[in-house]
Amino acid sequence: MKLIYSTPSPYARKARATAIETGLADKIEMEDINPWADPQGYRAVNPVGKVPALIRDDGPPLYQSNIVCEYLDSHGETKVFPDAGPARWTAMRQLAAADGILDASVLNRMEGMFHEGDAASQKLIDRQELSVDEALKQLEDEVADLEGPVTIGQIAVACALGYRDFRFADTDWRQNHPKLAAWYAAFSQRPSIADTNPEA
Ligand SMILES: N[C@@H](CCC(=O)N[C@@H](CS)C(=O)NCC(=O)O)C(=O)O
């Protein structure tokens, strides 16, 4: 199995952290690429050119971070996707909030990268930041649900908060979300999060 990732990608970080949490890290070859450089042949692995992607031994490649994570989970020793029932839907709700933060944050970063200065739409940027704020509020209000055995929901939330620190350090999410900040300070000590920190 080979996991194709890029170090700064928070989506790929979910897959890298899941590989560690499920006990599979030693069994997976890792390849760090720059998806924006469109490495030769990569579109045959992932037609939409994004990371992460997983080259499997038992079928064609998988791409899209949550699908890669679920495949890893199905082959791991420790499960991070809870079975159907309340624990699963709690984790899925956290995953949705985290992915919402990531999608909005990455869109704003793209807006800054591709549309410089006046060409960037402030209206679009503000709308995405509103989504980030509201999703952070949900996580702050429901912080007790982030306790307990590690899940894909917790992993994704940590990757989303880490991405805010990495790319949006000027907006201090901790200020209005003290309980979430305390949870993150503890959770980010886990090797799966500490060892995949893009800033390390
Ligand atoms: N929804 C996708 C998003 C993946 C994504 O956007 N990855 C970025 C890096 S953070 C990428 O590879 N971008 C290259 C591109 O858009 O061409 C997932 O969950 O895997």
Side-chain angles (χ1 to χ4, degrees):
M1 249 191 308
K2 179 154 91 171
L3 181 62
I4 302 176
Y5 72 101
S6 76
T7 302
S9 168
Y11 299 100
R13 190 180 183 190
K14 282 193 285 177
R16 293 162 68 207
T18 297
I20 294 170
E21 291 289 356
T22 55
L24 285 174
D26 292 345
K27 297 182 184 134
I28 303 175
E29 190 187 338
M30 306 290 279
E31 185 179 351
D32 191 352
I33 67 162
N34 174 6
W36 297 102
D38 257 326
Q40 198 175 9
Y42 188 56
R43 297 263 176 185
V45 174
N46 180 352
V48 299
K50 298 177 191 237
V51 288
L54 185 74
I55 298 179
R56 293 185 288 162
D57 302 326
D58 58 355
L62 293 175
Y63 53 94
Q64 211 284 344
S65 55
N66 296 336
I67 294 168
V68 170
C69 290
E70 191 153 4
Y71 180 86
L72 294 178
D73 185 70
S74 73
H75 284 69
E77 292 152 17
T78 303
K79 300 289 170 200
V80 296
F81 280 74
D83 290 336
R88 180 176 178 87
W89 305 124
T90 296
M92 293 298 111
R93 180 170 164 79
Q94 292 160 347
L95 178 57
D99 279 351
I101 290 169
L102 285 182
D103 292 346
S105 302
V106 169
L107 185 57
N108 275 357
R109 183 165 158 77
M110 295 300 106
E111 188 66 4
M113 278 170 66
F114 286 93
H115 295 149
E116 289 163 13
D118 291 347
S121 165
Q122 196 56 48
K123 208 168 158 185
L124 175 68
I125 291 170
D126 290 347
R127 183 169 172 78
Q128 302 314 309
E129 286 303 303
L130 173 65
S131 299
V132 170
D133 288 346
E134 293 294 324
L136 286 171
K137 183 174 183 309
Q138 174 200 307
L139 293 169
E140 174 77 4
D141 291 347
E142 300 177 12
V143 74
D145 292 343
L146 287 164
E147 299 304 333
V150 64
T151 68
I152 187 63
Q154 296 166 15
I155 292 169
V157 170
C159 292
L161 298 176
Y163 189 69
R164 292 302 294 186
D165 284 346
F166 180 43
R167 295 295 196 200
F168 297 84
D170 54 323
T171 64
D172 182 10
W173 63 267
R174 286 176 180 79
Q175 195 174 3
N176 294 327
H177 309 93
K179 290 181 276 184
L180 191 57
W183 172 83
Y184 180 63
F187 193 82
S188 57
Q189 302 299 312
R190 295 181 76 85
S192 63
I193 301 303
D195 296 354
T196 57
N197 183 350
E199 297 183 272

